[in-house]
Amino acid sequence: MNRPVVMAGLKPQKPIEHAPNKPGWDCLQYEQPWPCAPAKVTLSELYQGEAQGLAMSLAGYYYDAANDLPGTPREELYQRIVAWSRPTCSKIRFARR
C-alpha cells in the first residue's frame, strides 16, 4: 500500500486518510475514484482562503494522474480532480491531439 501523499507546501497535523492510492488513483480508505467526498472536504479545509494554493495542488495531482493513467481522457481527469474546486469554471474545452 502506498503512503498518503502530503499536499505541497503543507505540513498536516495528522496523516491524510483519504489520499490517492497511486498508480490507480483510488481513495486509500474508500477504494473509489479519488478525490472522494471526504478528500474534497479535507483539501478545502487545508486551503481555506487560499484558492491559488488549492489550484496549484490540484494541478499537480492532475499532472501525476495523467501520467499514471495514460488511457484516461484528460477531460475526465480534469472533471474528477480539478473542476470540483472551481464552481464558476467547471467546464473547459480541451484541444484534441
Side-chain angles (χ1 to χ4, degrees):
M1 179 183 280
N2 293 339
R3 293 184 317 166
V5 177
V6 175
M7 310 312 166
L10 294 178
K11 295 180 181 176
Q13 300 298 322
K14 59 182 180 179
I16 299 168
E17 296 176 0
H18 295 275
N21 188 13
K22 297 180 179 185
W25 285 85
D26 286 334
C27 170
L28 284 170
Q29 295 294 313
Y30 286 158
E31 297 180 359
Q32 65 181 0
W34 187 89
C36 62
K40 291 176 184 178
V41 169
T42 299
L43 288 165
S44 296
E45 290 172 350
L46 287 172
Y47 287 99
Q48 186 175 12
E50 298 292 333
Q52 290 178 335
L54 177 59
M56 290 175 58
S57 181
L58 294 176
Y61 284 122
Y62 171 81
Y63 177 83
D64 289 347
N67 286 321
D68 289 341
L69 304 169
T72 304
R74 291 176 293 170
E75 299 148 59
E76 182 180 321
L77 287 175
Y78 177 84
Q79 292 301 320
R80 174 178 159 184
I81 297 172
V82 179
W84 67 269
S85 70
R86 304 181 50 85
T88 61
C89 185
S90 62
K91 294 281 184 182
I92 65 169
R93 301 191 109 193
F94 287 82
R96 301 277 181 212
R97 288 187 180 187

